[in-house]
Amino acid sequence: MTSNSTQIITDIRKQRGSNLVIMGHHYQHDRVILHTDLRGDSLELARQVPSLKAEYIVFCGVQFMAETAAMLAGEEQKVIIPAPDAGCIMSNMAPAHILDCVMRRLSETDRRVIPLAYVNTSAAIKGIVGRYGGSVCTSANAKTMLDWAMKRGDSVLFLPDQNLGNNTADALGIPAEKRMVLDIRNGGRDMNPAQTADKRLLLWPGLCAIHERFREEHIDEIRQRDPDALVIVHPECRPGVVAKADAAGSTSAIITFVDNALPGSTIYIGTEINLVERLAKANRDSKRIRPLRPSSCRNMAKTTESLLAETLMNLETSEPVRVPDDVAYYARIALERMLEACA
Ligand code: 13P
Ligand code: SF4
């Protein structure tokens, strides 16, 4: 049975045609994903924006993703987020004024520190990173971008995800003793730049609460119960979890892993539940897909089908996502460095 919202969205999409593009991140609910023209991981979504021609880009995801889209879209295009209050817990752990203070203090040393921001950050953070010669990365290109940043300075400040930073450093063979978690207390004023002198990687103490729920013992339990099962997790999980899994990757890499698994496989996935449930449904006749543990992102869940319908009905009067020009200038430079390095 078609709901009222489904019908409204279908009709508006038909009327608007190529004037409207609906984008959605893989963590969105099925009832939202079903209406998207484009879906993907953070990198794929960002990459597609510059080539879009539609006047309206409706972004079903969280704030930092819509902000990134707004900075990569043309001046005459409008990026609308149905749930403007959909933040990201991890992104909130990196307030711009603290990074500003930390970078100023690190610049007083004789070492060149290149900041590398995970895309899960505000435009203001991306702006600071761009201003200091740094760039942005996503979970899909973190290894390439950390390598890129390492080649440009004496050390790299990676923020805000400590787990992604450590997992990527493990993949690049950066020794643990060359890494250090920064003390960002007191607005960054407690950080002692002298202590960073022999370090190659400075990590911000941030994390994603949704991925932090997955623990090593969950994988141990599966290995005991079902030794043939495969386990894949998102690299926002703790390094100990990534080490015990068969693979780790971005949301798109997880989808590819499931697609490529042999029929009859059992796969446990450590990431947001909407994606796991969608994969379980799509593969129910050939593979057993299970969550490592059910873990849901309440910010991703703020976009519902009825909110999307309401947004589309009010497109002309909706407030587009805007990033102030002075912030966007350097943030765009940071994003473009990433798109160029990963073309
Ligand atoms: P992806 O870039 O892998 O889609 O991840 C985005 C995200 O927010 C994961 O928590
Ligand atoms: Fe942010 Fe975690 Fe939600 Fe991703 S899953 S949007 S990192 S809070």
Side-chain angles (χ1 to χ4, degrees), residues 25 27 41-43 64-65 118 120 139 211 234 236 250-251:
H25 183 262
Y27 289 163
D41 64 19
S42 307
L43 180 61
F64 74 79
M65 295 179 177
Y118 190 25
N120 298 34
S139 62
H211 287 90
H234 195 278
E236 287 174 15
S250 76
T251 51

Coordinates of all heavy atoms in Angstrom, one line a residue, residues 25 27 41-43 64-65 118 120 139 211 234 236 250-251, ligand 1:
H25 N 22.5 9.2 2.3 CA 23.7 8.4 2.8 C 23.1 7.0 3.1 O 21.9 6.8 3.4 CB 24.2 9.1 4.1 CG 25.4 8.3 4.6 ND1 25.3 7.4 5.6 CD2 26.7 8.3 4.2 CE1 26.5 6.9 5.8 NE2 27.4 7.4 5.0
Y27 N 23.2 5.3 5.6 CA 22.6 5.0 6.9 C 21.2 5.5 7.0 O 20.5 5.4 8.1 CB 23.4 5.8 8.0 CG 24.8 5.2 8.3 CD1 25.7 6.0 9.0 CD2 25.1 3.9 8.0 CE1 26.9 5.5 9.3 CE2 26.4 3.5 8.3 CZ 27.3 4.3 9.0 OH 28.5 3.8 9.3
D41 N 28.5 6.5 0.1 CA 29.2 6.8 1.3 C 29.6 8.3 1.2 O 29.3 9.0 0.2 CB 30.4 5.9 1.5 CG 31.5 6.0 0.4 OD1 31.6 7.0 -0.3 OD2 32.4 5.1 0.4
S42 N 30.2 8.8 2.2 CA 30.5 10.3 2.2 C 31.3 10.7 1.0 O 31.1 11.8 0.5 CB 31.3 10.6 3.5 OG 30.6 10.2 4.6
L43 N 32.3 9.9 0.7 CA 33.2 10.3 -0.5 C 32.4 10.3 -1.8 O 32.4 11.3 -2.5 CB 34.4 9.4 -0.6 CG 35.4 9.7 -1.7 CD1 36.0 11.1 -1.5 CD2 36.5 8.6 -1.8
F64 N 27.0 17.8 8.5 CA 28.3 18.0 7.9 C 28.2 17.6 6.4 O 28.9 18.1 5.6 CB 29.4 17.3 8.7 CG 29.5 15.8 8.5 CD1 30.0 15.2 7.4 CD2 29.0 15.0 9.6 CE1 30.1 13.8 7.3 CE2 29.0 13.6 9.5 CZ 29.6 13.0 8.3
M65 N 27.4 16.6 6.1 CA 27.3 16.1 4.7 C 26.7 17.2 3.8 O 27.1 17.4 2.7 CB 26.6 14.8 4.7 CG 27.2 13.7 5.4 SD 26.3 12.1 5.3 CE 27.4 11.0 6.2
Y118 N 38.8 14.6 9.2 CA 37.8 13.7 8.7 C 36.6 14.5 8.2 O 36.3 15.6 8.8 CB 37.4 12.8 9.9 CG 36.5 11.6 9.6 CD1 36.5 11.0 8.3 CD2 35.7 11.0 10.6 CE1 35.7 9.8 8.1 CE2 34.9 9.9 10.3 CZ 35.0 9.3 9.1 OH 34.2 8.2 8.8
N120 N 33.7 14.2 8.7 CA 32.7 14.4 9.8 C 33.1 15.5 10.7 O 33.4 15.3 11.9 CB 32.6 13.1 10.6 CG 32.2 11.9 9.8 OD1 32.5 11.8 8.6 ND2 31.4 11.0 10.4
S139 N 36.2 7.9 5.2 CA 36.7 6.6 5.6 C 37.2 5.8 4.4 O 38.0 4.9 4.5 CB 35.5 5.8 6.3 OG 34.5 5.7 5.4
H211 N 29.7 3.6 16.8 CA 30.7 2.5 16.4 C 31.5 2.1 17.6 O 32.1 1.0 17.6 CB 31.6 3.0 15.3 CG 30.9 3.0 14.0 ND1 30.2 4.2 13.5 CD2 30.7 2.1 13.0 CE1 29.7 3.9 12.4 NE2 29.9 2.6 12.0
H234 N 33.2 -1.0 10.3 CA 33.5 0.3 9.8 C 34.8 0.7 10.5 O 35.0 0.4 11.7 CB 32.4 1.3 10.1 CG 32.5 2.6 9.3 ND1 33.3 3.6 9.8 CD2 31.9 3.0 8.1 CE1 33.2 4.6 8.9 NE2 32.4 4.2 7.9
E236 N 35.6 3.3 11.9 CA 35.4 4.2 13.1 C 35.4 3.3 14.4 O 35.2 3.8 15.5 CB 34.1 5.0 13.0 CG 34.1 6.1 12.0 CD 32.8 6.8 11.8 OE1 31.9 6.6 12.6 OE2 32.7 7.5 10.8
S250 N 34.6 1.6 4.4 CA 33.6 2.6 4.4 C 32.2 1.9 4.2 O 32.2 0.7 3.9 CB 33.8 3.6 3.3 OG 33.5 3.0 2.0
T251 N 31.1 2.6 4.3 CA 29.8 2.0 4.1 C 29.7 1.3 2.7 O 29.2 0.3 2.6 CB 28.7 3.0 4.3 OG1 29.0 4.2 3.5 CG2 28.6 3.4 5.8
Ligands
13P1 P1 31.1 6.6 5.3 O1 31.9 7.7 4.7 O2 31.8 5.3 5.4 O3 29.8 6.4 4.6 O4 30.8 6.9 6.8 C1 30.1 8.1 7.2 C2 29.8 8.0 8.7 O5 29.3 8.9 9.2 C3 30.1 6.8 9.4 O6 29.7 6.9 10.7

